[in-house]
């Protein structure tokens, strides 16, 4: 199980780094131009915080895998993150 969390940690870290290329890949300069400054900034800040959150989840998995597996609090954290990512997957597959 610890190996699985290390793998997930690497994947989370890689996913967070992918966010750096989002503005260019999604052509935000052109796509967000019609929006007001506030809405453009909200999109950019929201994306930055998602990247930060995913990165920190990766760091947690990489640095605290044993604690996540061996303690009741760790199991709760893993369970809630599992619920979160399952819901996120379902919304991404069926909500868009």
């Amino acid at each position: 199980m610890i190996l699985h969390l290390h793998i997930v940690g690497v994947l989370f870290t890689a996913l967070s780094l992918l966010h750096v290329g989002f503005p260019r890949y999604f052509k935000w300069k052109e796509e967000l131009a019609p929006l007001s400054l506030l809405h453009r900034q909200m999109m950019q800040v929201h994306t930055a915080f998602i990247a930060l959150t995913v990165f920190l989840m990766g760091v947690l998995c990489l640095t605290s895998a044993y604690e996540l597996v061996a303690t009741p609090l760790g199991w709760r954290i893993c369970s809630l993150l599992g619920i979160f990512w399952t819901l996120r997957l379902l919304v991404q597959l069926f909500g868009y």
Side-chain angles (χ1 to χ4, degrees), residues 36-52:
S36 69
L37 176 62
L38 177 64
H39 288 115
R40 282 194 306 270
Q41 290 174 337
M42 284 174 47
M43 183 71 173
Q44 293 163 344
V45 169
H46 181 73
T47 300
F49 272 98
I50 289 173
L52 177 63

Side-chain angles (χ1 to χ4, degrees), residues 48-93:
F49 272 98
I50 289 173
L52 177 63
T53 302
V54 173
F55 177 75
L56 293 175
M57 284 185 213
V59 170
L60 179 68
C61 291
L62 288 170
T63 62
S64 303
Y66 176 76
E67 290 83 0
L68 289 170
V69 172
T71 65
L73 178 60
W75 274 99
R76 284 189 200 104
I77 291 170
C78 286
S79 298
L80 294 174
L81 286 174
I83 291 168
F84 169 81
W85 284 105
T86 300
L87 291 173
R88 174 72 170 88
L89 176 64
L90 292 173
V91 168
Q92 182 139 357
L93 290 174

Side-chain angles (χ1 to χ4, degrees), residues 5-43:
L5 286 173
H6 285 156
I7 292 169
V8 167
V10 169
L11 293 174
F12 277 156
T13 304
L15 179 61
S16 72
L17 295 175
L18 283 175
H19 282 73
V20 173
F22 278 11
R24 181 178 297 167
Y25 180 78
F26 292 113
K27 299 180 177 98
W28 280 1
K29 193 169 196 165
E30 298 87 25
E31 293 289 331
L32 300 179
L35 300 178
S36 69
L37 176 62
L38 177 64
H39 288 115
R40 282 194 306 270
Q41 290 174 337
M42 284 174 47
M43 183 71 173

